[in-house]
Amino acid sequence: MAYEWDFAFLWVLWPHLLVGLAGTAKLWAVALICGLGIGLVVGIFRTAPSRILRSIGTVYVEAIRNTPGLIQLIWFYYAIPMVTGWQASAWLAAVVSLSIYTGAYSAEIYRAGIASIERGQWEAARAIGFGFGAQMRYIVLPQALMRMIPAFGNRAIELAKATTLASTIAFGELLYTAKVIAEDQMRPLETYTAVTVIFTVILLPVSYGCVWFERRLARRGGVHRD
Amino acid sequence: MPYDWNFSIVLQYMPQLLWGGLHTVLLSAACIALAVPIGVVLGVIRHQRVRFLAPIAVVYIDFFRTSVALVLICWCYYALPILLGVNLSTFTAVTIAIGLQASAYLAELVRAGLGSISTGQWEAARALGMPGTMRLRYIILPQAARRMIPVFFLLVVEVVKTTTLAGIVTYPEIVYEAFRVSTEVYRPVETFTIAGLICFAFLFVTGRIAMRLERRYAAVER
Amino acid sequence: MTEEVLRIEGLRKAYGLLEVLKGIDLTVHRGETVCLIGASGSGKSTLLRCVNFLGYPTEGRIYLEGRLIGRESGGKMAYRESKLCAVRTHVGMVFQQFNLFPHLTVEENVTIGPIKIRGVPPAVAHEKAAEQLRRVGILDKAKDYPSQLSGGQQQRVAIARALAMEPSIMLFDEATSALDPELVGEVLVAMRKLAEDGTTMLVVTHELGFAYNVAHRVVFLHEGTIYEEGPPQEILVRPRRPRTQDFLRGHTAFRMPEPEMTPAAAVDG
């Protein structure tokens, strides 16, 4: 017997999916901003003259990149209340965990971008009398940031995918909402297919945008690839 | 109130966690085993711009690269059995989901690897009188494979990390076992710290092997 | 003269609107060494690549060992890649950039063709490979990888690799142009030895000394046509036509005649 597809219930329940999608978007945006901020600091640590700063950066990046995101999320979910004494909150755990997760990966993008600037630029800046901070702020970062944009775009896509992890701690993002609907309506095939389509429709154009931008940079010369 | 850490009680459950780790490795191996043949074939099709097949490969690759692993897993576990009308074990469902996604990443890796071989190599093989498949098999793929191995190890790291999602659909891998241990001893932070360390040890070593190989091949080639 | 190995008739090759070869007629006989000279862009390398069908001729016929290559349809030649593979096994090619297979040892580079394409038993192939490697004076490096060799050594391996297929004719596409000056000699000596052994060779080169000493015939290409050809003593010493004279005046490096090189002494053993 062939399965009878029936998407009708989703026409009724789409406001719920929309709320879920809004949850995904909120989590994504906050974690992205925090993550890029953390990444900038750590990325500079990783290229700093100080050995201690470099080691701190390395330990952080290696620890996050070599453990599964799910374990990090669950760990923060239980650890944050323990340290702060607050009640366990799925939202807070998700934001903290995904920010730290994105921070580690974007630190590598900053580091590679900074490393891609030729020695001569640093030396010229030093010759003018700039210190490390000023060299970074006025000379190196402005040049490097442009080259990093495609990599940040990819990072943003990966973060959007990672937000679905929050469904495991019952944060009301898209996948969690879908799970609830699927069980409630006993229509997992349609519901999960819809979620797959929603993610593809959103992420695929962004992904193509990144590729397009990267090509454009490459044509103008001086693109950094990692 | 300072927290009273207690790792010793969790350490008693170490065998259970390691058992979960073993399942993680098994599942990862299955995913890689599925991904490699598909990825190589698709990568070659993409690179050679095979008529009719190349556009299909592009759709496949782009779809899986931008889709969300956890959504795929849920789809394969909850939805696919309905569509097929058969029961799938969690192992099979997760292997399909992660294996197919990994094959898309691998296809791009293969395409890039093939593209990195200079045209002179193709020409020299052609000048010897080798037909296309022979050129690919004896001259181009072995060289491309060597260059791809370090990145392949990084892909393995990603696959292993992704398989930890299988616990969500009750496959007894490390996260799943960690949950079971933590509900038994009420020490979730310690349990997941140790689970994280087990993963870290395994993945860090794999990553180092990748780096070592990369340096070695960089030294051999000129 | 002896039998023809290669015969080219009315060969034209165009890339879009740009016609690189504008009707070439050339014959190479067994045991003959023909040097193609000319300025860059004159079409020398394109001609060579057409003989091996690495680029298909736009027009014209190519005969190898008296057999027309390709299928004639409507006054034009049609080529099938699968058929051309067999043709290429009879035509040895040495590239400017060597193009050795870096993942294979010297020995494997030389044996892979005979074993995989010809189906020669490995033991026989290795024996023959040793013979060819000895001919170019590099047998002692058989187990090395290409990256461990100098450019001159690599190019000699490339020559052995082509010879191992026992081709009817050997093509050399500026085989010494990518080499450091001090390594050019060893490759030229190896090539000279082949010529003296009676190998049929079509050589694109800038080494006019080599052409003078080794070639039976020198062909000067100019803007896609054969402008002047004849014995080296004529073409290189007393060219009749103005473009050839201009070209030779430009080559101040051509010291003539070259001091005699003794193969045994120059090839390091």
Side-chain angles (χ1 to χ4, degrees):
Chain A
M1 182 197 74
Y3 182 78
E4 276 180 42
W5 293 76
D6 180 12
F7 282 98
F9 69 98
L10 284 177
W11 286 119
V12 181
L13 294 175
W14 69 265
H16 292 273
L17 283 181
L18 213 56
V19 171
L21 192 59
T24 298
K26 196 171 74 171
L27 179 56
W28 174 80
V30 176
L32 185 65
I33 292 167
C34 297
L36 291 182
I38 296 169
L40 176 61
V41 174
V42 179
I44 291 174
F45 274 19
R46 296 261 281 157
T47 53
S50 153
R51 211 194 145 101
I52 299 162
L53 288 183
R54 279 209 308 272
S55 309
I56 294 172
T58 307
V59 168
Y60 164 66
V61 169
E62 291 290 344
I64 297 301
R65 296 213 309 173
N66 286 307
T67 46
L70 181 58
I71 290 185
Q72 292 165 28
L73 177 71
I74 296 167
W75 193 88
F76 279 110
Y77 182 66
Y78 289 116
I80 291 173
M82 215 179 70
V83 176
T84 62
W86 302 337
Q87 217 180 352
S89 146
W91 159 254
L92 185 66
V95 165
V96 170
S97 153
L98 290 177
S99 299
I100 285 175
Y101 172 82
T102 301
Y105 284 92
S106 54
E108 279 305 275
I109 299 172
Y110 285 111
R111 189 188 61 76
I114 291 166
S116 76
I117 302 298
E118 309 75 49
R119 279 246 66 80
Q121 292 293 315
W122 291 93
E123 281 166 5
R126 203 178 314 143
I128 301 172
F130 282 155
F132 175 75
Q135 289 167 30
M136 192 66 97
R137 162 95 177 68
Y138 297 108
I139 308 300
V140 176
L141 276 182
Q143 296 183 59
L145 278 176
M146 194 64 147
R147 305 181 184 184
M148 300 177 198
I149 286 173
F152 284 139
N154 287 324
R155 218 1 70 196
I157 292 174
E158 290 306 314
L159 176 61
K161 295 182 186 175
T163 55
T164 56
L165 292 179
S167 68
T168 60
I169 52 171
F171 174 72
E173 47 71 73
L174 183 58
L175 185 58
Y176 182 75
T177 312
K179 220 173 245 179
V180 173
I181 292 177
E183 274 165 32
D184 186 51
Q185 301 288 317
M186 292 190 285
R187 288 257 172 212
L189 178 52
E190 288 86 348
T191 314
Y192 287 118
T193 303
V195 173
T196 310
V197 169
I198 291 171
F199 269 113
T200 303
V201 165
I202 295 172
L203 295 182
L204 200 58
V206 181
S207 164
Y208 284 147
C210 291
V211 173
W212 173 82
F213 192 81
E214 194 168 3
R215 292 224 179 105
R216 215 180 74 131
L217 277 184
R219 264 207 305 278
R220 294 198 316 194
V223 70
H224 165 70
R225 289 168 188 282
D226 58 356
Chain B
M1 176 196 73
Y3 182 75
D4 187 16
W5 293 88
N6 187 346
F7 278 104
S8 59
I9 185 163
V10 176
L11 285 174
Q12 289 167 11
Y13 288 86
M14 198 64 176
Q16 193 178 343
L17 290 176
L18 286 175
W19 187 242
L22 185 67
H23 277 100
T24 301
V25 172
L26 276 178
L27 183 59
S28 304
C31 294
I32 299 283
L34 178 65
V36 166
I38 301 176
V40 170
V41 169
L42 289 178
V44 170
I45 287 173
R46 259 309 244 128
H47 181 263
Q48 299 281 298
R49 301 207 180 93
V50 178
R51 230 183 302 167
F52 306 123
L53 294 178
I56 298 171
V58 171
V59 171
Y60 177 97
I61 291 166
D62 286 352
F63 170 74
F64 278 109
R65 286 201 332 151
T66 50
S67 57
V68 181
L70 189 50
V71 174
L72 287 178
I73 289 171
C74 288
W75 196 88
C76 285
Y77 182 69
Y78 295 112
L80 188 59
I82 299 175
L83 197 62
L84 297 178
V86 293
N87 277 325
L88 292 180
S89 67
T90 50
F91 185 85
T92 314
V94 175
T95 303
I96 292 171
I98 299 177
L100 293 187
Q101 183 167 47
S103 74
Y105 284 103
L106 190 68
E108 284 300 275
L109 174 61
V110 169
R111 183 173 74 112
L114 292 176
S116 75
I117 305 299
S118 73
T119 52
Q121 290 294 313
W122 290 93
E123 283 207 333
R126 227 173 136 206
L128 271 182
M130 287 190 178
T133 49
M134 209 183 262
R135 293 200 281 268
L136 207 53
R137 177 162 163 213
Y138 294 111
I139 307 302
I140 305 301
L141 273 179
Q143 293 184 55
R146 227 179 252 205
R147 292 186 195 183
M148 288 177 327
I149 281 172
V151 191
F152 178 76
F153 269 79
L154 298 181
L155 183 66
V156 170
V157 168
E158 289 307 314
V159 167
V160 172
K161 285 197 276 187
T162 310
T163 57
T164 59
L165 301 176
I168 293 162
V169 293
T170 72
Y171 181 74
E173 47 70 61
I174 189 157
V175 174
Y176 184 80
E177 294 297 345
F179 261 116
R180 283 182 49 195
V181 170
S182 72
T183 51
E184 231 162 284
V185 299
Y186 300 108
R187 290 280 175 185
V189 177
E190 286 89 337
T191 313
F192 280 95
T193 303
I194 289 178
L197 285 174
I198 293 172
C199 288
F200 178 84
F202 183 73
L203 296 176
F204 185 77
V205 169
T206 314
R208 288 293 124 151
I209 293 172
M211 274 173 66
R212 171 102 24 119
L213 286 174
E214 189 163 19
R215 233 173 277 149
R216 204 170 86 195
Y217 291 137
V220 168
E221 284 183 22
R222 308 181 320 135
Chain C
M1 200 143 194
T2 51
E3 60 187 310
E4 292 172 6
V5 173
L6 174 71
R7 181 183 188 84
I8 302 169
E9 284 177 0
L11 177 67
R12 288 172 180 274
K13 173 72 181 174
Y15 295 102
L17 291 175
L18 179 74
E19 196 168 40
V20 183
L21 297 176
K22 303 168 182 167
I24 302 281
D25 296 292
L26 181 69
T27 306
V28 182
H29 298 90
R30 191 163 320 282
E32 193 181 23
T33 296
V34 175
C35 280
L36 292 170
I37 62 169
S40 60
S42 60
K44 316 179 293 279
S45 288
T46 307
L47 174 57
L48 217 56
R49 294 168 60 84
C50 281
V51 174
N52 207 5
F53 296 94
L54 289 179
Y56 296 173
T58 317
E59 244 178 79
R61 292 183 173 76
I62 295 174
Y63 298 85
L64 193 65
E65 299 277 7
R67 280 203 315 275
L68 178 62
I69 307 299
R71 208 161 29 82
E72 201 155 8
S73 68
K76 290 234 173 191
M77 299 303 299
Y79 300 104
R80 282 246 315 272
E81 184 66 24
S82 54
K83 291 265 170 60
L84 293 177
C85 283
V87 173
R88 293 192 193 108
T89 62
H90 297 289
V91 181
M93 177 104 173
V94 177
F95 297 88
Q96 186 177 344
Q97 297 294 342
F98 331 138
N99 292 341
L100 288 184
F101 305 131
H103 61 305
L104 303 177
T105 62
V106 164
E107 194 175 31
E108 288 164 344
N109 261 281
V110 180
T111 54
I112 189 164
I115 292 175
K116 299 297 178 196
I117 303 169
R118 284 272 163 76
V120 175
V124 179
H126 281 95
E127 218 169 276
K128 295 221 163 149
E131 187 188 312
Q132 300 302 352
L133 288 171
R134 194 177 302 117
R135 268 178 98 180
V136 294
I138 200 151
L139 183 57
D140 55 324
K141 303 281 186 193
K143 301 290 179 204
D144 287 10
Y145 281 92
S147 58
Q148 296 166 283
L149 305 183
S150 74
Q153 290 169 327
Q154 288 193 48
Q155 192 59 298
R156 283 187 280 145
V157 174
I159 293 172
R161 178 175 71 181
L163 285 173
M165 296 298 284
E166 298 176 334
S168 305
I169 183 168
M170 287 282 287
L171 310 178
F172 292 82
D173 188 6
E174 301 194 17
T176 56
S177 296
L179 294 172
D180 293 336
E182 73 271 18
L183 301 176
V184 169
E186 60 185 83
V187 173
L188 290 182
V189 166
M191 287 167 65
R192 177 180 189 147
K193 202 168 148 213
L194 293 188
E196 284 166 356
D197 289 351
T199 312
T200 312
M201 295 168 39
L202 185 55
V203 183
V204 168
T205 187
H206 291 295
E207 298 291 336
L208 299 186
F210 175 83
Y212 182 85
N213 284 317
V214 180
H216 299 98
R217 194 146 49 95
V218 173
V219 175
F220 178 73
L221 256 68
H222 179 67
E223 292 181 350
T225 56
I226 293 182
Y227 187 77
E228 192 170 356
E229 67 171 304
Q233 293 79 4
E234 266 177 39
I235 302 293
L236 297 175
V237 184
R238 289 179 300 277
R240 294 212 184 83
R241 303 189 60 186
R243 295 283 163 246
T244 322
Q245 290 163 357
D246 290 350
F247 175 77
L248 290 174
R249 255 199 299 281
H251 270 73
T252 48
F254 176 38
R255 306 171 306 278
M256 177 193 64
E258 282 265 301
E260 282 295 307
M261 296 177 286
T262 52
V267 174
D268 58 280

